[in-house]
Amino acid sequence: MENPFRDGGPADKAMPYVSLIVSANLLVLGVKMHGEGASPLWPLGAGVLVLLACHEIYRQIRSRRDLA
């Protein structure tokens, strides 16, 4: 049985999408918290995480396209 966590394995391919889902949820929660009076750094930080997750997905798709 192969290791699913190796480079290029199923867990490695799914990780950027999982991080996008988690960071999008953090962004929604941060916007909700800011509306209730919390620091504006919560949605700002979550927005940065969303951008980083999108960048990683772009890099993953681009590298697959370059290999084809």
Side-chain angles (χ1 to χ4, degrees):
M1 181 172 188
E2 289 189 35
N3 182 2
F5 298 103
R6 65 177 162 69
D7 286 343
D12 186 48
K13 291 179 183 175
M15 192 57 67
Y17 299 100
V18 171
S19 66
L20 179 61
I21 292 168
V22 170
S23 57
N25 284 331
L26 284 173
L27 179 61
V28 170
L29 183 63
V31 168
K32 182 180 174 185
M33 287 172 54
H34 178 61
E36 295 173 356
S39 171
L41 293 178
W42 283 106
L44 181 66
V48 169
L49 290 175
V50 168
L51 289 175
L52 290 173
C54 290
H55 176 68
E56 183 60 31
I57 290 172
Y58 171 74
R59 286 183 57 211
Q60 188 180 51
I61 291 171
R62 188 178 67 187
S63 70
R64 277 194 230 149
R65 187 178 37 181
D66 291 343
L67 293 175

